[in-house]
Amino acid sequence: MGSKEVGRRDFLKYGISLVGTGVLGSQLVYPLDPVYAQTEKKGKIKDPIRIGAQATLSGPFGGYGQFMKMGAQLAVDEINSSGGILGSKVEIEFRDEELKPDVAAKNARYFVDDWGADFLTGLDASSSALGVGAIMGELDRVLIVTHGATEKLTENLVYKQGIKQIFRISVPVYQDGIAAAIVAKDFPAKRWVTIGADYEYGHTAWNFFKATLKKLRPDVEFVEEAWAKFLTSDFGAHITKVMAANPDGIYSTQWAGEAVTLIKQAKLFGVFDKIQTWMTPMGAAMDVLEGLGKEYPEKAWVTCRYWFQYPDTPENKAFVDRFYKRWNKYPHYVSETTYSAIYAIKAAVEKAGTVSTPEIIKALEGMTLMTPAGKRYIRPEDHQAVYQVPWGRITHNPEYPFPTLTDLKVIPAEEYFRKPPFVEA
């Protein structure tokens, strides 16, 4: 699609046409592996197949959880209405992880030990993903993470420690730090600062950004850092600190309601009149777009983990159309990643013919799936799904009730996904 904008009417019209004429089947996520069709069912499948899901369902980040539930429920309803998975219905239950690793681990134990979950999915915070990931060998269920982005989940827990039960279907922090730097190298900005999220995700993303950009642009400088704890509501001191360094560019890792608050306060401080570039990796999340609306400066460059206007494929258009018809909203990136995770479970069970964890691990390793976000390849070494998501500049499009992206920059995944054995970007 490149930088070409696709309007709301185009999506609805195209989606209705595709679904209505039956060009696509009912399934928008399906494996592309040629051996898939040769696999035979090995035995009776447990009924129902239960999926325990976790998301942030409360507080200023709670919008993420609601969008995640929408994507998951859409997938479950589609699968069940089409006969389930090898004849078994799918049940899903959500719990609030509260952005706390101990709560997330407690929820995971409840799902497996008390509720009888066959699979686990979701998780917003990187710290929660690491907390649950650390006990997956003990729980012995396959976990598919759909948001938590730390590279340590797949690089350390899976690849180095060998906890094979962990998979991640969403792009990791490579998108936030390494791809951001590849985009930023073409900007004139030389003096960079950060207003960062003071926890795992924020520090890792900034470190990737600095290391990559310095290699690509030796003339850049990183002249100030201001770190904000979870649930910060007043960014005045942080803004004042970084602006005193006279930056050309600001890199910010706040997300959800905190990103909305920070950008609104930065506008009050006149920041966007004084800098050349603002980059926020999670700035294309639907809750941020809706939260800022017309106040979102067009100087901002943003991305996320799935952008609903990319790629330009029948599967994506049909997914956006179905989601909009069901929820009267456009899909957040966690809606798509969780939707695709549910279908990845379906594909793995159908390939393995069982819900047995060792067999499901074998089925997922190396699988290539067609999804709304495009082709996803699940690397066997670290269980990270590889696909690409564009960066873009905020623009105000009258066809939508929120800002959209223009000037899309799509970087091939092989250029910014670290590879096992992991080396510096």
Side-chain angles (χ1 to χ4, degrees):
M1 181 169 62
S3 60
K4 182 181 179 181
E5 290 289 332
V6 179
R8 174 180 176 275
R9 286 191 293 271
D10 295 321
F11 266 106
L12 296 178
K13 180 178 65 178
Y14 195 16
I16 290 171
S17 174
L18 286 166
V19 174
T21 58
V23 173
L24 288 176
S26 61
Q27 191 166 312
L28 303 180
V29 180
Y30 49 89
L32 298 176
D33 308 82
V35 297
Y36 175 74
Q38 301 172 19
T39 304
E40 295 180 357
K41 183 177 178 180
K42 297 180 178 177
K44 182 176 175 58
I45 300 298
K46 179 177 177 286
D47 190 6
I49 295 172
R50 286 181 165 160
I51 302 172
Q54 297 196 58
T56 306
L57 296 169
S58 57
F61 298 86
Y64 268 70
Q66 299 307 318
F67 272 108
M68 190 183 288
K69 289 180 71 174
M70 293 176 190
Q73 194 61 55
L74 181 62
V76 168
D77 290 349
E78 287 179 358
I79 291 170
N80 284 339
S81 65
S82 299
I85 301 176
L86 296 180
S88 296
K89 293 293 185 183
V90 178
E91 286 187 4
I92 190 165
E93 179 176 316
F94 266 85
R95 287 206 155 196
D96 189 354
E97 62 152 277
E98 302 178 27
L99 299 174
K100 298 176 181 177
D102 59 333
V103 172
K106 182 179 179 181
N107 288 342
R109 291 188 183 281
Y110 158 77
F111 279 134
V112 174
D113 295 338
D114 299 329
W115 189 62
D118 302 292
F119 299 93
L120 302 180
T121 193
L123 295 168
D124 283 309
S126 289
S127 57
S128 296
L130 290 175
V132 174
I135 62 173
M136 288 314 299
E138 173 191 346
L139 296 179
D140 199 24
R141 296 291 188 277
V142 164
L143 162 69
I144 301 183
V145 173
T146 63
H147 185 199
T150 176
E151 87 289 358
K152 297 175 182 63
L153 182 75
T154 46
E155 293 187 11
N156 291 352
L157 295 188
V158 180
Y159 182 70
K160 293 181 180 177
Q161 297 185 32
I163 305 177
K164 298 294 186 181
Q165 291 85 355
I166 304 168
F167 290 80
R168 176 164 48 205
I169 203 161
S170 51
V171 287
V173 73
Y174 310 150
Q175 178 77 18
D176 311 67
I178 299 172
I182 295 172
V183 173
K185 72 178 174 50
D186 295 326
F187 296 154
K190 292 184 178 181
R191 294 172 60 84
W192 285 89
V193 300
T194 188
I195 300 176
D198 192 13
Y199 40 86
E200 166 68 29
Y201 161 66
H203 286 278
T204 300
W206 176 236
N207 288 335
F208 275 148
F209 180 78
K210 287 192 300 180
T212 308
L213 186 55
K214 194 65 177 177
K215 287 182 181 178
L216 299 173
R217 280 278 302 275
D219 61 322
V220 299
E221 298 178 88
F222 303 99
V223 295
E224 190 55 276
E225 299 176 357
W227 298 98
K229 301 290 186 184
F230 251 139
L231 303 179
T232 294
S233 60
D234 183 355
F235 290 94
H238 306 86
I239 294 169
T240 300
K241 182 180 181 183
V242 300
M243 292 307 294
N246 191 29
D248 300 322
I250 294 179
Y251 177 87
S252 166
T253 45
Q254 272 66 36
W255 54 288
E258 287 187 357
V260 174
T261 300
L262 170 59
I263 291 173
K264 285 184 175 180
Q265 293 178 6
K267 288 190 69 175
L268 292 175
F269 277 74
V271 167
F272 290 92
D273 297 326
K274 300 171 184 175
I275 63 171
Q276 298 173 9
T277 305
W278 177 288
M279 299 187 80
T280 293
M282 292 296 94
M286 198 57 68
D287 57 327
V288 178
L289 297 171
E290 292 178 345
L292 284 167
K294 295 181 180 178
E295 293 187 67
Y296 215 147
E298 293 192 334
K299 190 173 285 185
W301 281 82
V302 299
T303 187
C304 50
R305 312 206 182 287
Y306 155 80
W307 175 240
F308 79 100
Q309 293 180 308
Y310 181 89
D312 185 15
T313 61
E315 289 84 4
N316 190 36
K317 290 182 170 73
F319 169 70
V320 173
D321 177 62
R322 290 182 189 182
F323 193 93
Y324 189 87
K325 285 181 178 177
R326 175 70 183 272
W327 305 112
N328 197 30
K329 285 181 174 292
Y330 289 92
H332 192 291
Y333 66 80
V334 293
S335 307
E336 192 278 340
T337 58
T338 311
Y339 178 89
S340 292
I342 303 299
Y343 271 104
I345 290 171
K346 177 178 184 291
V349 172
E350 290 177 342
K351 181 177 181 179
T354 175
V355 296
S356 167
T357 297
E359 295 301 316
I360 294 297
I361 292 172
K362 290 179 185 177
L364 286 171
E365 288 181 335
M367 179 181 284
T368 300
L369 289 164
M370 177 57 75
T371 70
K375 291 182 182 177
R376 279 179 162 103
Y377 168 64
I378 301 175
R379 294 194 298 208
E381 297 92 344
D382 64 340
H383 295 182
Q384 173 63 55
V386 179
Y387 66 108
Q388 55 207 20
V389 183
W391 274 79
R393 184 174 60 79
I394 288 293
T395 188
H396 294 282
N397 184 341
E399 290 191 36
Y400 292 92
F402 49 80
T404 58
L405 305 187
T406 190
D407 301 333
L408 295 186
K409 294 185 180 296
V410 182
I411 302 164
E414 57 268 26
E415 293 186 17
Y416 69 95
F417 272 62
R418 282 157 53 104
K419 302 176 182 63
F422 296 97
V423 295
E424 296 300 322

